[in-house]
Amino acid sequence: MVEGPDKQLGEAVLEARDLTKVYRMGEVDVHALRGVDLTLRAGELMVLLGASGSGKSTLLNILGGLDSPSSGTVAYRGADLTHATGAQLTRYRREHVGFIFQFYNLIPSLTARENVALVTDLVSTPMAPEEALEVVGLGPRMDHFPSQLSGGEQQRVAIARAIAKRPDVMLCDEPTGALDYRTGVLVLDVLARINQDLGTTTAIITHNAPVGAMAERVVTLADGAIAETHENEAPVEASSLRW
Amino acid sequence: MKALDQKLARDLRTLGGQILTIALVVASGVASFTTVRGAYGSLARARADFYSAQRFPDVFARCERAPRSVLERLEQVPGVAVIEGRVTEQASLPLPWMTEPASAHVVGLPPGGPRLSSLHLRSGRPPRPNDDDEVLLSDAFADEHDLAPGSTVPAILGGVFRELRVVGVALSPEHVLVVAAGDIAVDNRRRGIVFMNEDAVAAATGREGAFDDVVAQLSAGASEEAVLAAFDRILEPYGGYGAHGRDRQLSNFILSGELAQLENMATQIPPLFLLVAAFLLHVVLTRLVQLQRSQVAALKALGYDDLSIGLHYLKLASVIVALGAALGLALGQWFGGGLIDLYRDYFRFPTLEARVDVATAVAAVAVSAIAATVGTFTSVRSILRLAPAEAMRPPAPARYRRGLTDLPGVRRFVPPALQMTLREVQRRPVRLLLSSLGIAASLALLVLGQFFGDAMAWLTDTYMERQQRWDVQVTLREPRDVGGLATFRQLPGVTRAEGMRQVPARVRVGPREREVALQAMVPDRGAEGLQRVVDSEGNVVEPPVDGLLMTSKLAEILGAQPGDGITVEVLEGSRETLTLPLTATVEEPFGLQVYMRSGALHAALRQEPMVTSVLLQVDGLAASSDAEAARDLDQRLARMRDVLGFVHRARMIQEFRAQSAKNIGVFSLVLTLFAATIAIGVVDNNARVSLSMRRRDLASLRVLGFSRAEISEILLSEIALQVLLALPLGLVFGNAMVTSMAAGVADPEVYRLPVIVTAQSYAFAAGVALAAAAFSALLVRRKLDRLDLIAVLKTRE
Ligand SMILES: Nc1ncnc2c1ncn2[C@@H]1O[C@H](COP(=O)(O)OP(=O)(O)O)[C@@H](O)[C@H]1O
Ligand SMILES: [Mg+2]
């Protein structure tokens, strides 16, 4: 994929400073993050790489206001999230963040359309659920329940659900983790297109190093710290990825 | 529709059966609450209305015979507003279709009609003035014998036989329940009330210009105690038996006892049901919400705030509560109506309408709603407290531990399915405990539902069997000397005849007093006698050689200890006041009695031994096979001049049983129904929740190659474990509930219920739980057979 002419980088959307996260597991402390500095810039597509257990999910959850760090700060467009109340975090998630998880986390009792409506009910200027589902290519399967959809289709419903509220930031935790290669590519392609067309700042977690090729920036985590940051001069199309 | 409400609608539909069973549990709680309280409210209201409409008096007194001029003195007693003297008599009614004569209390109607205790006419008209043979009958007696205006009734009144013409059927507030003195049960067949013109009664009994019965209404603020004392003083020279207030008026006394009992039941049992239902509602809702743990987390990640998530689940709970409440109120209305229909036969009020007590209904629904709200919010909160990231993470593989069943020796004997269940239990003991507690609570309610019947059966079958070894009890017109017993021994079939002396008396310690009968057996055969003193344990107790043996409840009322002196005012004959020592007390389930040895009693009275009633043991009667012989005996007894009336023990007990079967039986049937519903609801819900919680595990096992039977076994052994643990717990709870009910429910002056849980009752309760378990097991099995493996594994709940 080639950068769009009107795409502007630079302004910081999310800024993490010196993040640490310690889980107490009985007698032992698990240091999931050991001082991470990371800035997510407006409109950027970032891929977060790292081995299993390196702290990727922990970092993403903290960025998305689902979890709080043990120390360090996170700011969204200059506003501190670390000291935000539960209600403020809820507002932040509701208005600005779209999540995508490895296990989709759809509500099994709701159809694809209704799962998306769950989000459009919440915000003032959403996309129509149908439109969001068209974007991910699921128009014809709108009235299917999750159990009637394949894994890739369920993940695309989850994406539609995330984009329907026109979020500022998309945080995707192993969106292809449960999918086969072909379906995985399809999902990544949808994410790239949304980043491109809507200008949504996007962070994608994966443990598949080749996926980094589609990003403008690749950050590699190892053992709770950033091991390497790599800027891509020429990101490629998702469909040309191989792993 | 909002997507979240859509989810609610879908969840409701999916949960379908489960929602219905929870709603049934709520309905049972609400219904038992409103049924019993409603019945109590209806009766209390009917009594209050009846008493005020018919001007039920405040003070009652009887004497041998006093000139009417004494009435003026009574009227001048400060505090007396209205006074009425009456002429009354006992009559026997030898109805041709009965072998033992019925007895009647005959009440004279003053010329202008009664000013107090006016009659409510059900049918017919009052007797014409100056007509000596026209009468009104009490309506229960008339119903029992199909008597109506136009019928005639034979009567022996003042020793003279006459035919009475029934002109009407009426209700009196003094005779809502008609109990012959000394009887244990209402007997509308053997006892009736006859109202006729006062002049006619006076003429028949030689009481012209006199009265033997007086009632009064007090003015507001008057001291009843002072009036009673004044009445006693004024009536003393005329053979006064002691004035009393409403509390000791026989019909009202029994009625109050029954109402108090019902009120106690209404205050104690239904809240218990409601609490159990609320507890279950709480547990079940908690689990329902727990099952949706990751959905809650997903909603939170999407930006739903805690309040809207909480409200979403609250709506689910409200639907259940609303359904349960509606069902419960409807059921309560229906059962309440049925209960009132039954009571209508027993309590003779002009109008007795089933009422729904709005406050009760509101309270019942509110308790359920609160339980639901608390249950929902606590569990939603426990999920919301987790960071959504954590709640959403695929649940960490549960940490199972090796336990006792893993010991090498044990292991071999524990099949894998049971092994899995036992590990699950070791991991989540609280969950198993809560499930078992719920089942145990419903078992306890079932045991309680059986208790009243058991207690009554014990009283009639065990207790009275040991106490009374006679077949027929004969009441004599006048006390007679012991020689008179010989006549009874000569009756055909009679193998033994023993006398009983009863002396009406007032026992007193300081300001506390009760009217009782001193009772002695003549001749005194002690433990070998036909009527024995038996304590609540079933042991025969012999009265001490001197002094009084008293029901311990009576001693408690008087505040007397063995060794204390009791003042005994004899209320007949020379009317002496004696001081006798209280020698011993005996725990008894019925009434308030005072027993003495014949020797001690007659020595104190300075009389030769006399008998007031005769107990007969009759060959073959007990088997009731010989109806011909029984009829022959009845006819011979009825012809004896000394005999006022008599009663067959077998018939009396049958009557008592029929009555308690009707009142208590229906009541416990209703309780049992509700308790069974709750038991089924609990067991079924536990099974369903276990199924949903372990659906994924079980599906995975199926995928691994386990058979349907094998995965069913895992779940079914869990259900079995819950029920097995609940069985002993239920027995313990049931016993505790029965103990607290037994103390609270009976009116202690009439009877005290023994704490009895029979093996049958417990077996019945256990049977209901096991049947419910079997039914749920079947249901679970069917659901497992239909388990859609792919769908389960593809989505996360
Ligand atoms: N709730 C938790 N409790 C304890 N340890 C945790 C928890 N969540 C994550 N961890 C640990 O933190 C580390 C980082 O986890 P995570 O961020 O999920 O890694 P990744 O997403 O890169 O695989 C791992 O060692 C993991 O075991
Ligand atoms: Mg991860």
Side-chain angles (χ1 to χ4, degrees):
Chain A
M1 185 163 51
V2 186
E3 249 180 51
D6 55 344
K7 194 159 177 182
Q8 292 189 345
L9 287 182
E11 187 195 345
V13 177
L14 275 168
E15 260 188 300
R17 286 291 160 263
D18 203 20
L19 285 185
T20 70
K21 178 74 182 180
V22 184
Y23 293 108
R24 281 207 73 96
M25 294 287 294
E27 295 301 295
V28 289
D29 288 350
V30 178
H31 292 266
L33 295 178
R34 310 167 182 267
V36 172
D37 291 311
L38 184 71
T39 305
L40 207 53
R41 288 190 295 270
E44 129 177 80
L45 177 69
M46 186 189 83
V47 161
L48 204 53
L49 280 177
S52 182
S54 57
K56 305 182 297 289
S57 297
T58 305
L59 176 59
L60 199 80
N61 288 337
I62 292 174
L63 291 178
L66 289 181
D67 210 344
S68 52
S70 302
S71 70
T73 58
V74 185
Y76 170 76
R77 294 194 186 276
D80 184 21
L81 291 182
T82 352
H83 299 103
T85 63
Q88 287 166 331
L89 285 180
T90 299
R91 257 223 351 260
Y92 162 62
R93 287 197 302 271
R94 175 188 298 203
E95 288 169 7
H96 308 298
V97 187
F99 278 107
I100 293 164
F101 302 100
Q102 181 177 358
F103 295 102
Y104 332 131
N105 283 87
L106 299 180
I107 303 292
S109 56
L110 295 180
T111 62
R113 188 208 309 253
E114 289 157 357
N115 261 287
V116 177
L118 215 40
V119 163
T120 56
D121 285 346
L122 276 181
V123 291
S124 45
T125 54
M127 258 180 228
E130 294 75 11
E131 188 189 340
L133 284 164
E134 289 294 349
V135 171
V136 299
L138 276 182
R141 317 217 54 178
M142 269 186 307
D143 293 319
H144 287 59
F145 285 96
S147 62
Q148 297 167 325
L149 297 171
S150 75
E153 287 164 337
Q154 288 186 56
Q155 190 60 297
R156 282 188 280 156
V157 174
I159 295 174
R161 191 170 68 174
I163 61 170
K165 62 177 164 190
R166 306 183 198 279
D168 204 11
V169 190
M170 285 272 272
L171 301 175
C172 317
D173 190 348
E174 310 245 14
T176 61
L179 304 176
D180 60 86
Y181 164 74
R182 285 171 53 82
T183 329
V185 166
L186 211 67
V187 165
L188 290 175
D189 186 48
V190 169
L191 289 174
R193 238 179 38 236
I194 289 161
N195 169 257
Q196 176 69 13
D197 300 349
L198 307 176
T200 311
T201 312
T202 304
I204 301 173
I205 285 181
T206 176
H207 57 264
N208 281 330
V211 174
M214 69 181 280
E216 289 147 356
R217 195 153 58 111
V218 180
V219 173
T220 307
L221 273 185
D223 201 14
I226 294 180
E228 189 193 340
T229 304
H230 166 74
E231 308 268 343
N232 255 349
E233 292 307 319
V236 303
E237 300 252 348
S239 53
S240 62
L241 295 175
R242 287 290 177 274
W243 66 81
Chain B
M1 195 196 283
K2 289 261 185 140
L4 211 51
D5 292 330
Q6 189 76 53
K7 170 177 178 307
L8 176 67
R10 295 266 164 69
D11 284 352
L12 283 173
R13 199 169 332 138
T14 318
L15 291 171
Q18 193 170 3
I19 284 185
L20 204 68
T21 51
I22 308 174
L24 277 176
V25 169
V26 175
S28 296
V30 171
S32 70
F33 199 65
T34 50
T35 302
V36 184
R37 286 214 66 92
Y40 168 72
S42 303
L43 284 174
R45 173 66 169 278
R47 177 171 74 165
D49 288 351
F50 190 33
Y51 279 6
S52 77
Q54 312 304 135
R55 294 188 304 282
F56 186 59
D58 298 310
V59 166
F60 306 79
R62 292 203 315 112
C63 60
E64 289 292 338
R65 180 203 161 103
R68 294 199 79 86
S69 56
V70 173
L71 285 175
E72 279 156 39
R73 284 170 57 204
L74 292 172
E75 192 160 21
Q76 274 150 25
V77 170
V80 172
V82 185
I83 195 140
E84 184 145 85
R86 302 186 297 202
V87 186
T88 68
E89 179 61 338
Q90 302 301 317
S92 61
L93 307 179
L95 297 171
W97 52 88
M98 280 181 75
T99 52
E100 30 177 352
S103 72
H105 180 61
V106 181
V107 181
L109 299 172
R115 292 193 292 161
L116 295 175
S117 281
S118 60
L119 301 180
H120 175 93
L121 215 52
R122 265 248 149 105
S123 63
R125 56 165 178 83
R128 267 193 298 261
N130 306 321
D131 188 312
D132 283 1
D133 291 326
E134 289 190 346
V135 299
L136 295 172
L137 286 183
S138 57
D139 88 321
F141 185 77
D143 281 359
E144 188 70 40
H145 292 286
D146 281 328
L147 296 169
S151 310
T152 57
V153 173
I156 299 168
L157 181 56
V160 177
F161 180 90
R162 58 205 283 183
E163 291 272 345
L164 302 176
R165 287 195 312 279
V166 179
V167 295
V169 171
L171 295 165
S172 158
E174 287 178 46
H175 305 285
V176 173
L177 294 172
V178 178
V179 183
D183 247 5
I184 51 169
V186 170
D187 187 347
N188 289 321
R189 198 168 163 71
R190 289 180 44 244
R191 180 81 178 169
I193 313 294
V194 170
F195 304 92
M196 57 198 286
N197 285 322
E198 190 174 272
D199 297 346
V201 189
T205 57
R207 287 208 187 90
E208 289 96 342
F211 69 93
D212 64 302
D213 186 291
V214 61
V215 291
Q217 195 169 56
L218 302 185
S219 47
S223 154
E224 184 182 298
E225 216 172 309
V227 173
L228 292 180
F231 273 37
D232 277 355
R233 207 166 351 88
I234 294 170
L235 291 173
E236 162 86 70
Y238 307 102
Y241 287 100
H244 55 78
R246 285 182 173 189
D247 56 339
R248 313 217 67 78
Q249 198 269 337
L250 194 56
S251 161
N252 185 56
F253 172 72
I254 297 174
L255 188 52
S256 299
E258 302 249 359
L259 278 178
Q261 178 180 337
L262 204 62
E263 190 186 12
N264 273 328
M265 286 196 183
T267 34
Q268 298 205 25
I269 299 176
L272 218 59
F273 269 70
L274 204 55
L275 280 182
V276 171
F279 167 70
L280 297 174
L281 188 61
H282 182 104
V283 170
V284 169
L285 280 173
T286 306
R287 290 183 183 174
L288 269 184
V289 176
Q290 289 291 345
L291 279 175
Q292 298 206 347
R293 176 185 137 113
S294 66
Q295 296 190 35
V296 171
L299 289 174
K300 205 172 169 188
L302 292 178
Y304 279 87
D305 55 34
D306 294 0
L307 189 65
S308 11
I309 298 174
L311 282 178
H312 168 65
Y313 286 99
L314 198 59
K315 279 188 201 164
L316 179 76
S318 319
V319 170
I320 298 175
V321 171
L323 198 67
L327 211 62
L329 291 178
L331 270 179
Q333 178 91 325
W334 190 49
F335 280 121
L339 213 52
I340 288 298
D341 281 344
L342 268 167
Y343 284 153
R344 224 173 256 140
D345 267 2
Y346 182 68
F347 297 103
R348 294 299 172 143
F349 293 115
T351 51
L352 179 55
E353 296 302 332
R355 283 156 40 88
V356 184
D357 184 12
V358 177
T360 304
V362 169
V365 175
V367 170
S368 313
I370 288 168
T373 310
V374 171
T376 310
F377 271 134
T378 46
S379 52
V380 172
R381 215 190 46 204
S382 76
I383 296 172
L384 291 176
R385 248 201 323 247
L386 294 176
E390 192 166 339
M392 213 163 13
R393 192 169 288 131
R399 267 176 295 155
Y400 291 91
R401 278 193 304 269
R402 285 164 177 270
L404 269 184
T405 46
D406 291 291
L407 294 176
V410 184
R411 193 175 185 148
R412 241 179 321 143
F413 302 100
V414 182
L418 185 58
Q419 188 72 266
M420 288 179 74
T421 306
L422 292 176
R423 294 242 175 85
E424 180 73 19
V425 167
Q426 288 170 39
R427 195 167 74 84
R428 294 200 169 134
V430 176
R431 204 169 90 190
L432 174 76
L433 201 68
L434 279 180
S435 306
S436 291
L437 278 179
I439 301 171
S442 63
L443 273 169
L445 293 178
L446 279 167
V447 169
L448 186 63
Q450 298 300 102
F451 157 67
F452 299 102
D454 286 350
M456 284 299 158
W458 181 85
L459 286 178
T460 51
D461 299 351
T462 308
Y463 183 80
M464 286 164 75
E465 208 60 51
R466 284 186 69 71
Q467 186 196 34
Q468 309 171 336
R469 305 199 301 167
W470 44 269
D471 300 304
V472 178
Q473 177 170 32
V474 181
T475 309
L476 301 179
R477 222 172 268 285
E478 312 261 86
R480 282 199 52 170
D481 58 32
V482 184
L485 291 174
T487 349
F488 291 96
R489 290 200 187 99
Q490 282 152 17
L491 290 169
V494 171
T495 50
R496 277 172 76 179
E498 289 171 18
M500 191 197 279
R501 177 73 199 270
Q502 285 182 307
V503 181
R506 186 183 289 152
V507 288
R508 193 166 63 205
V509 175
R512 310 186 192 189
E513 57 175 48
R514 278 290 182 279
E515 272 157 48
V516 296
L518 305 180
Q519 190 173 311
M521 292 300 294
V522 188
D524 196 337
R525 296 229 160 84
E528 299 304 308
L530 288 183
Q531 168 96 22
R532 312 181 294 185
V533 182
V534 176
D535 70 16
S536 294
E537 253 45 311
N539 304 312
V540 176
V541 175
E542 287 198 52
V545 179
D546 344 273
L548 309 175
L549 170 65
M550 186 178 278
T551 314
S552 46
K553 186 73 204 175
L554 178 58
E556 190 189 314
I557 291 170
L558 296 177
Q561 305 281 341
D564 292 355
I566 310 282
T567 306
V568 179
E569 289 173 39
V570 177
L571 295 174
E572 65 171 26
S574 53
R575 307 176 70 87
E576 301 170 74
T577 300
L578 311 166
T579 303
L580 295 170
L582 172 61
T583 313
T585 62
V586 54
E587 201 77 52
E588 286 182 308
F590 284 111
L592 305 175
Q593 279 81 230
V594 179
Y595 304 100
M596 289 181 79
R597 288 292 180 119
S598 169
L601 174 64
H602 291 104
L605 295 172
R606 279 169 282 136
Q607 289 177 351
E608 285 302 301
M610 306 273 263
V611 302
T612 48
S613 57
V614 181
L615 306 175
L616 304 179
Q617 201 171 57
V618 186
D619 231 8
L621 253 199
S624 81
S625 52
D626 208 341
E628 193 57 47
R631 195 165 312 129
D632 178 48
L633 179 66
D634 286 355
Q635 277 162 3
R636 284 167 187 270
L637 284 172
R639 276 201 299 268
M640 292 172 76
R641 257 207 70 79
D642 287 349
V643 173
L644 181 67
F646 56 90
V647 57
H648 286 253
R649 198 181 97 87
R651 293 179 202 161
M652 185 178 79
I653 289 195
Q654 199 185 343
E655 195 70 33
F656 180 72
R657 254 189 223 143
Q659 241 169 60
S660 62
K662 237 183 177 173
N663 292 340
I664 289 186
V666 167
F667 189 78
S668 51
L669 180 71
V670 170
L671 290 191
T672 302
L673 270 179
F674 291 146
T677 310
I678 291 181
I680 293 169
V682 179
V683 175
D684 184 56
N685 264 294
N686 279 337
R688 285 173 196 258
V689 170
S690 295
L691 174 61
S692 352
M693 287 200 157
R694 310 203 55 192
R695 187 187 302 261
R696 271 184 88 74
D697 295 355
L698 297 175
S700 309
L701 288 176
R702 286 277 286 130
V703 172
L704 290 181
F706 277 68
S707 71
R708 282 187 181 137
E710 281 162 339
I711 61 164
S712 305
E713 240 175 77
I714 295 174
L715 210 53
L716 298 185
S717 57
E718 201 171 307
I719 298 173
L721 204 62
Q722 290 169 357
V723 176
L724 286 182
L725 184 62
L727 293 180
L729 278 178
L731 180 59
V732 174
F733 290 177
N735 253 314
M737 276 195 202
V738 165
T739 309
S740 94
M741 282 302 128
V745 158
D747 174 30
E749 294 204 18
V750 182
Y751 61 89
R752 297 161 287 277
L753 291 177
V755 175
I756 286 177
V757 179
T758 63
Q760 282 100 310
S761 292
Y762 191 65
F764 169 79
V768 170
L770 288 172
F775 171 79
S776 311
L778 268 176
L779 201 112
V780 164
R781 180 64 209 256
R782 252 192 37 208
K783 286 203 157 192
L784 280 180
D785 285 351
R786 295 210 200 122
L787 193 63
D788 183 345
L789 298 184
I790 319 274
V792 171
L793 293 176
K794 223 156 87 178
T795 56
R796 299 215 306 124
E797 303 218 323

